[in-house]
Amino acid sequence: MIIAEKKPIEEIIREVEAYDRILVLGCNECVTVCEAGGKKEVEVLASVLRMNFMAQDREKTIDERTLERQCDHEYLEEIRDVIDQYDAVISLACGVGVQFAAEKYMTTPVLPGVNTVCLGANEDRGLWTERCQACGSCVLARTGGICPVSRCAKRVLNGPCGGSTNGKCEISKDTDCAWQLIIDRLKALGKMDDYEIVAPVKDWSTDRAGGPRTVTREDVKI
Ligand code: SF4
Ligand code: SF4
């Protein structure tokens, strides 16, 4: 899922300070699961903003709404009837949702209330870690299901660099070396022969380097 974290409240206050009628808009999907931008976080943020402006004797309208998804036309349409009632929207969706809302409602500022961090997994209560950088050409089949693109600091594709020490990456003794993890998994799978095969040059044109990407599915369009 997409992992995001709440922006510091001071930053959000600066973003919305100039507006009198503000809609705090949450999203029921990834940001709810990672506890950054769901209904609960919308309620908390709206309350904090109200208290902040009340303490300054400033009258503001701060309303709350949480959509099923902000990255979907269908659900974003649900606020079309009310969008003109607001001077600004503070969106707690990921960067995709913020942009999609901004594109749809051209004359209303849509401001980000979270920082979108990565594609990751929930490892433990309160711990989310990166697993994928959406490179567009997945190599997991030959790396034991462990991603060297997102989990190796140098994105090396043919074994560890010289900085790998005692299973840890040279960037931090707390960070596992992705290639150590890959080797351990290949051993467990009895597939160490795969490790000896030199990987072909990866096609990075499918990654961000190739510019913004699109996926078109004619079978879905029908
Ligand atoms: S190889 Fe690419 S698509 Fe596969 S998990 Fe890694 S970043 Fe994601
Ligand atoms: S130590 Fe391992 S994870 Fe870190 S940069 Fe080198 S190969 Fe990649």
Side-chain angles (χ1 to χ4, degrees), residues 1-7 30-38 41 91-95 113-120 128:
M1 68 179 168
I2 295 172
I3 311 296
E5 57 186 1
K6 294 179 209 173
K7 276 187 178 291
C30 307
V31 288
T32 293
V33 182
C34 66
E35 302 188 34
E41 289 76 29
S91 166
L92 299 193
C94 72
V114 302
N115 292 321
T116 305
V117 179
C118 63
L119 299 179
W128 292 271

Side-chain angles (χ1 to χ4, degrees), residues 119 131-140 147-150 202 207:
L119 299 179
R131 286 291 186 277
C132 176
Q133 291 189 348
C135 74
S137 175
C138 194
V139 301
L140 290 177
C147 173
V149 177
S150 59
K202 185 164 165 43
D207 190 66

Side-chain angles (χ1 to χ4, degrees), residues 50-67:
R50 283 184 203 112
M51 282 191 290
N52 172 75
F53 292 121
M54 214 182 292
Q56 299 173 26
D57 265 343
R58 295 170 68 184
E59 263 197 36
K60 304 251 188 193
T61 300
I62 299 178
D63 288 341
E64 306 166 22
R65 186 91 177 248
T66 299
L67 302 179

